[in-house]
Amino acid sequence: MLDVAALRETPWPEGDWETLAFRAAEAALAETPFGEWLDWPAVIEIAVRLASDDEVRTLNRQYRQKDKPTNVLSFPMVQPDLLETVTQNSDDGEVILGDIILAHGICATEAEERGISVEDHASHLIVHGVLHLLGYDHMGDAEAEAMEEMERAALANLGLHDPYPVRED
């Protein structure tokens, strides 16, 4: 079972961010081998924080040594090599998968550049963040392609845009 909590901070507008975050996280999880967790009795917890660019810049500097805001940060609580057995070893039936933090200004600017709503872009960034919580990355070409395919599929299941331009090799 999936439990997603969303915390909206200024300057994010009011809205049903909890439902948006849940749907995006559920769609991302469903595209991975961990999709079966959605039907398990263990509770998989994800926290999504909608923060300011300044807050994300501070976290990015503190944890990644990059002194600039970024659109999304993910903080996994489970090591990738332990993901397959984590639900079996939970003492209380709950697994805290991790935290995802989105920067409002970056998200809004990127959405405007793409001609989509902030909500749709936030959904994409949450999908992207969940995949990072599950150990996926985009450092190499093969990893990036695999992650992008999962993102495309999750967003299609949500009825949303393909966030990646067609690449010609």
Side-chain angles (χ1 to χ4, degrees):
M1 177 183 349
L2 182 61
D3 181 24
V4 179
L7 174 63
R8 179 191 66 85
E9 299 173 2
T10 303
W12 287 86
E14 290 195 30
D16 191 1
W17 296 106
E18 195 93 14
T19 299
L20 181 143
F22 178 86
R23 291 185 67 234
E26 180 181 49
L29 196 57
E31 293 303 321
T32 73
F34 305 105
E36 63 187 13
W37 289 356
L38 295 169
D39 298 321
W40 284 13
V43 178
I44 308 300
E45 297 179 11
I46 298 172
V48 175
R49 192 158 148 227
L50 305 169
S52 68
D53 287 5
D54 288 340
E55 176 69 17
V56 172
R57 179 181 184 165
T58 298
L59 292 169
N60 204 22
R61 182 177 55 239
Q62 182 177 355
Y63 291 100
R64 298 179 66 225
Q65 291 71 53
K66 295 183 180 187
D67 191 15
K68 62 181 183 177
T70 187
N71 54 11
V72 61
L73 290 172
S74 300
F75 295 97
M77 298 297 285
V78 180
Q79 292 175 210
D81 61 330
L82 299 177
L83 285 168
E84 291 193 25
T85 59
V86 73
T87 58
Q88 299 162 9
N89 297 324
S90 172
D91 293 336
D92 58 4
E94 295 180 1
V95 176
I96 300 172
L97 194 57
D99 299 335
I100 299 168
I101 300 147
L102 277 61
H104 178 267
I106 302 270
C107 182
T109 299
E110 290 176 349
E112 186 176 328
E113 290 169 355
R114 290 166 173 80
I116 61 174
S117 71
V118 171
E119 292 81 3
D120 286 356
H121 191 47
S123 292
H124 172 220
L125 295 177
I126 293 168
V127 165
H128 186 88
V130 168
L131 294 176
H132 278 308
L133 295 182
L134 294 170
Y136 294 96
D137 211 332
H138 43 81
M139 299 304 276
D141 287 344
E143 291 173 321
E145 285 181 33
M147 191 168 168
E148 287 173 11
E149 283 306 311
M150 286 184 273
E151 289 177 55
R152 284 185 176 106
L155 292 170
N157 286 335
L158 293 169
L160 299 177
H161 63 285
D162 178 347
Y164 298 105
V166 175
R167 283 195 239 170
E168 294 185 24
D169 294 320

